[in-house]
Amino acid sequence: FNTGDFKPDFSKPDFNKLPIGSVLSRALDLLKKNPGLFIGLMVIASIIPIILTIFTYAVPTLAILVTPVNFIISTVMQGAMAFAVYQVLTGHATSLNDAVKRGLSRIVTLAVAAIITGIGIGIGMIFLVVPGVFLLLCWFVTIPVAAVEGLGAIDSIQRSMELTKGFRWNILAIIIIVGIVTGIVAAIAGAIFVGVLGYLLGGIIVSLVLCIPTAYVNIVNSIIYFDIREAKEGVSIDKLTTVF
């Protein structure tokens, strides 16, 4: 990477570049119109970890697999969501199977990109948090780039850094808003179901409930990517038809 890529942008935020309200409302609209597709992807992403968690009660040694399995599935589904959002935005019919296939076809690149960015952000968080937040904003659209543009892991990370320049304040604001909302939903679901049904059964139900806000978060991520491309490069969503 060029050292200039990591120079923080302290310019005054321009929220007209990436209207926060528009991103959030359009993401909600897509979710409401296509709940089976988007929530379905998140349910699929939750089923295997749930089953694995249940088995760890009988075979505790399986616990070592929980984190890597969750990571791989989550990463693949983020790629699948980017594909699904694209298909819906362009008016093309798609299915859970089509979206999952797209995510699986990019599994190595998606996983490597996620590992690199995860380590970088994690190290940044250790150093007074600010560097980690900055890297999070720089690399925010890495997964959609990897899934949509077919680039390698490093190129996808570099591409995300280029695309997010000038939009990082907007992305930060969106992250904060979505984070607060999803955090509240998670806290309420946890208090209700875990408190009443216990850790195992309550935790399973909470995981399924959280598929809804998780789907929304992933849709927001993808919309940000497409909107930034259109704003910076004049590439509207309908001109990306050759990607898939």
Side-chain angles (χ1 to χ4, degrees):
F1 303 120
N2 297 321
T3 56
D5 292 332
F6 293 93
K7 183 179 180 182
D9 180 8
F10 295 107
S11 60
K12 183 178 179 181
D14 181 0
F15 294 112
N16 291 320
K17 290 182 178 179
L18 185 67
I20 296 172
S22 173
V23 171
L24 298 179
S25 63
R26 284 159 55 216
L28 183 59
D29 187 55
L30 285 183
L31 181 60
K32 289 191 296 183
K33 290 181 178 179
N34 306 272
L37 175 60
F38 295 124
I39 298 176
L41 285 171
M42 294 301 101
V43 170
I44 292 173
S46 298
I47 289 175
I48 295 177
I50 287 174
I51 294 174
L52 187 57
T53 299
I54 292 173
F55 274 110
T56 60
Y57 280 82
V59 187
T61 53
L62 290 177
I64 194 174
L65 298 176
V66 173
T67 297
V69 168
N70 286 352
F71 168 77
I72 293 296
I73 293 176
S74 173
T75 303
V76 168
M77 285 305 169
Q78 287 181 56
M81 286 290 287
F83 170 81
V85 170
Y86 164 81
Q87 291 291 83
V88 171
L89 289 177
T90 54
H92 295 143
T94 191
S95 65
L96 291 172
N97 186 53
D98 294 334
V100 171
K101 281 184 178 179
R102 178 63 188 183
L104 288 174
S105 72
R106 301 290 295 157
I107 185 171
V108 174
T109 298
L110 292 171
V112 172
I115 290 172
I116 294 173
T117 56
I119 291 174
I121 292 169
I123 293 174
M125 289 297 185
I126 294 174
F127 292 100
L128 302 177
V129 178
V130 174
V133 173
F134 175 67
L135 290 178
L136 171 63
L137 300 177
C138 289
W139 296 338
F140 190 73
V141 297
T142 296
I143 296 301
V145 167
V148 171
E149 299 185 37
L151 301 178
I154 299 299
D155 288 338
S156 295
I157 294 171
Q158 181 67 48
R159 173 78 165 142
S160 178
M161 296 186 72
E162 295 170 353
L163 286 174
T164 56
K165 286 180 181 178
F167 293 89
R168 291 167 189 161
W169 284 112
N170 307 63
I171 294 172
L172 178 59
I174 292 171
I175 289 174
I176 291 173
I177 294 171
V178 173
I180 291 174
V181 173
T182 55
I184 291 173
V185 172
I188 293 175
I192 294 174
F193 296 110
V194 176
V196 174
L197 301 175
Y199 180 77
L200 179 57
L201 182 57
I204 291 173
I205 295 178
V206 169
S207 295
L208 295 175
V209 170
L210 292 182
C211 287
I212 299 174
T214 303
Y216 179 70
V217 169
N218 279 277
I219 295 171
V220 168
N221 190 323
S222 297
I223 287 181
I224 287 174
Y225 161 69
F226 291 124
D227 281 3
I228 287 176
R229 283 204 65 182
E230 182 169 3
K232 298 195 77 168
E233 304 174 339
V235 180
S236 59
I237 190 70
D238 59 305
K239 293 180 181 179
L240 293 171
T241 53
T242 58
V243 171
F244 301 109

